[in-house]
Amino acid sequence: MLTLKLLKRSILGLFLFILITSSLSSANSVYLPYIEKIEIKGNTKTLDYVIRREIKHETLNLLDSLVAEQDRERIENLRIFSEVTWKTIPLDSENSKLVFSVIESVQNLPPSILPTYDEKTGWSLNAGVLFTNFKGRNQSLSFNLSVGGKDTYGLIFSDPWILGDHVSLRSEIDKSIYRHNFLDYNVEKDKVRIDFGKWFGENIKTLIGFSIESIKFKNESLSTILKSNYLSINPVIKYDTRNIYWNPTKGILWSNLFNSNRGIINKNRFVNYSWKQSLSLYHEVIKLERKVIIAFNGTYNFFWGEKDEIWLNYLGDSFTVRGWPLISQSSYRSESNEFRFGYELLYGSVELRKEIIPKKVTNYGTQIGLLGVLFIDVGSISYNILNLNETPKIIGSGMGIRIPFPMLHVIRFDLGWGYRNGKWNKGTLHWGVSHKF
């Protein structure tokens, strides 16, 4: 009798164990729709194939939300859409379709006259025409003419897929005349350039550029003219795992930019080379609705070969160490600013970025967003690479904002203060286009 009761309890226990295990398994299971087809909505101008070539998710397969999100990020990185979203919609066949919805940003700048600013040349009045999604193929075509701090005219064309999968072409014809920002010369420059690019997979990005340039440095008071004609060859290789270009929350960007300049006129033969290497890291430190990201960058620029005054570099601007007054001819002649000039540069930055207004599209079809930034920069410069580590460092620290903007990608404003030898300066406002890194 006792044996029978134990047997009944064992059978009952086994039944309850199977029932509970099945219930827990059902509760933890996630329904994954079977994707029968992929659709694109919202692209009134952009051709479908421009978007589809960025989509890696397969049809006739279960939904992979990670792949779908990566597809969404690639489409957003085309920089021709203000917003990109995805969702699944059930079909009558009991399967689902994966739908990518896009909102196209402003892609054409009609003939217009606008003020523009450059830290090296100042304000100019720019007239031109710009197409950032020419014929809906993600090609770019622009013609510009400017007068003021920089007199220029030029034509630029680019196509990121001209010969298939991420095989790109960019061509440029340009003439510019401006006052050199720290040398006592007026500069006249003519340039013809062509770039060929190729991606290997999703992360390795290569490019090689060729340009023929003619440059004249004129000093009318001294009746001096320095003229140089040279061939410039510029190989570039990048390893890029960033998720979103406008405001990366993860990934790295390792860039190597090489430059070779070779004189092509017998009486002005020269050769020089430079190598600029940059490493940037991005990490989302607090996962909130409004993101908080910390970003690091380290950059060095080595220069060897013909070291003429016209190839001089300097430290202390919106792309090196912020918070320092812009270089001018008077500051170049001052002995107190010798520490800001040289050929070899080494600098780094840390930025804490906080979303104040997440990027979105308003009911009126305009794009808004705002990013707040705290930063600190440090760097040094030298005429000789052997003395670079011995050169006193300069520091810049401050705050800024970033605003996403159609066609220009990002507009930024930085207010910083420079520090050296135990003293802070009065501060400087920098502004321009694109992130520092």
Side-chain angles (χ1 to χ4, degrees):
M1 188 68 177
L2 180 60
T3 303
L4 183 60
K5 287 182 178 180
L6 290 173
L7 182 59
K8 289 181 177 179
R9 288 181 180 178
S10 299
I11 294 173
L12 179 61
L14 180 61
F15 174 76
L16 290 173
F17 174 76
I18 295 173
L19 180 63
I20 293 170
T21 303
S22 300
S23 299
L24 289 174
S25 178
S26 299
N28 292 328
S29 64
V30 177
Y31 168 71
L32 293 176
Y34 186 81
I35 303 303
E36 184 177 310
K37 61 181 179 178
I38 296 176
E39 287 187 0
I40 300 167
K41 289 186 176 181
N43 53 318
T44 57
K45 178 180 178 181
T46 308
L47 300 178
D48 273 8
Y49 81 88
V50 172
I51 302 172
R52 287 191 178 275
R53 66 193 183 190
E54 304 295 335
I55 297 173
K56 307 300 182 184
H57 200 291
E58 297 179 348
T59 55
L60 305 180
N61 212 334
L62 293 176
L63 172 69
D64 188 327
S65 58
L66 178 61
V67 174
E69 179 60 22
Q70 291 172 343
D71 291 343
R72 187 202 70 79
E73 292 171 349
R74 275 192 294 271
I75 297 169
E76 183 173 336
N77 285 337
L78 293 176
R79 300 181 182 179
I80 54 177
F81 303 112
S82 297
E83 185 175 272
V84 182
T85 58
W86 67 268
K87 64 180 179 180
T88 58
I89 298 177
L91 298 172
D92 294 338
S93 62
E94 296 185 355
N95 296 328
S96 297
K97 62 180 178 181
L98 176 59
V99 180
F100 289 91
S101 299
V102 300
I103 298 177
E104 293 178 326
S105 61
V106 176
Q107 298 174 355
N108 298 332
L109 180 65
S112 57
I113 300 176
L114 297 171
T116 57
Y117 178 77
D118 182 279
E119 283 191 338
K120 292 184 177 181
T121 58
W123 287 96
S124 300
L125 204 58
N126 194 300
V129 181
L130 172 63
F131 304 94
T132 58
N133 189 14
F134 189 55
K135 295 183 177 180
R137 302 174 185 271
N138 197 25
Q139 299 170 339
S140 177
L141 177 65
S142 67
F143 174 78
N144 70 288
L145 172 69
S146 70
V147 294
K150 188 175 185 179
D151 300 339
T152 183
Y153 61 85
L155 179 68
I156 301 174
F157 171 79
S158 67
D159 187 335
W161 280 63
I162 195 165
L163 291 176
D165 189 359
H166 289 102
V167 178
S168 62
L169 170 72
R170 182 182 183 276
S171 58
E172 175 183 1
I173 300 174
D174 178 82
K175 182 179 182 66
S176 55
I177 301 172
Y178 55 92
R179 183 70 176 167
H180 199 283
N181 59 332
F182 64 87
L183 297 179
D184 191 15
Y185 291 110
N186 292 316
V187 181
E188 183 176 328
K189 187 174 183 179
D190 298 276
K191 178 172 67 175
V192 177
R193 181 180 177 90
I194 186 166
D195 297 325
F196 302 96
K198 175 73 174 79
W199 288 19
F200 297 90
E202 291 294 321
N203 305 125
I204 299 176
K205 305 173 182 181
T206 64
L207 179 144
I208 186 166
F210 303 89
S211 65
I212 296 177
E213 303 183 21
S214 174
I215 188 167
K216 295 179 183 178
F217 293 83
K218 299 180 180 180
N219 185 312
E220 296 179 357
S221 61
L222 300 177
S223 299
T224 301
I225 298 180
L226 304 177
K227 184 176 180 180
S228 181
N229 298 279
Y230 56 93
L231 170 67
S232 183
I233 303 176
N234 315 111
V236 179
I237 182 169
K238 298 180 180 181
Y239 180 74
D240 187 358
T241 65
R242 295 172 299 165
N243 55 346
I244 295 294
Y245 296 163
W246 111 263
N247 183 28
T249 60
K250 62 180 180 180
I252 68 172
L253 174 59
W254 179 45
S255 303
N256 289 271
L257 291 79
F258 302 92
N259 186 53
S260 168
N261 298 312
R262 183 178 295 270
I264 54 178
I265 301 296
N266 286 332
K267 63 180 181 180
N268 188 26
R269 293 285 187 179
F270 72 92
V271 179
N272 59 39
Y273 308 92
S274 66
W275 174 26
K276 181 179 180 180
Q277 184 171 189
S278 174
L279 177 63
S280 302
L281 300 92
Y282 309 89
H283 179 67
E284 188 175 0
V285 292
I286 304 177
K287 294 185 181 296
L288 300 172
E289 182 181 354
R290 296 183 180 181
K291 302 167 186 173
V292 180
I293 302 111
I294 190 166
F296 303 89
N297 172 263
T299 301
Y300 63 77
N301 190 2
F302 293 160
F303 187 97
W304 62 97
E306 183 79 15
K307 290 186 175 181
D308 195 274
E309 188 180 41
I310 63 173
W311 303 104
L312 259 180
N313 216 327
Y314 60 91
L315 197 63
D317 61 11
S318 62
F319 284 97
T320 55
V321 179
R322 290 160 287 187
W324 288 84
L326 298 179
I327 288 296
S328 64
Q329 292 183 15
S330 59
S331 62
Y332 177 62
R333 291 192 296 265
S334 172
E335 293 183 359
S336 63
N337 283 299
E338 286 183 346
F339 65 93
R340 295 183 63 182
F341 294 90
Y343 296 101
E344 324 288 345
L345 286 85
L346 177 65
Y347 54 91
S349 300
V350 180
E351 289 190 353
L352 184 66
R353 303 173 179 176
K354 172 70 169 68
E355 271 188 340
I356 300 172
I357 303 175
K359 191 177 79 165
K360 60 182 179 180
V361 178
T362 68
N363 295 332
Y364 301 99
T366 57
Q367 178 179 285
I368 63 169
L370 184 63
L371 195 69
V373 174
L374 298 175
F375 67 84
I376 183 168
D377 306 327
V378 60
S380 60
I381 189 169
S382 174
Y383 284 83
N384 190 309
I385 188 173
L386 299 177
N387 301 326
L388 188 58
N389 288 332
E390 302 172 4
T391 305
K393 309 295 187 293
I394 68 171
I395 296 173
S397 184
M399 64 196 75
I401 60 172
R402 310 287 183 265
I403 304 170
F405 199 85
M407 297 184 291
L408 300 180
H409 186 40
V410 175
I411 296 177
R412 68 180 169 105
F413 298 87
D414 288 320
L415 177 61
W417 292 265
Y419 178 84
R420 180 176 180 267
N421 293 337
K423 295 182 180 179
W424 291 93
N425 63 23
K426 296 180 180 179
T428 300
L429 176 66
H430 303 279
W431 73 282
V433 176
S434 80
H435 285 286
K436 181 179 184 290
F437 61 93

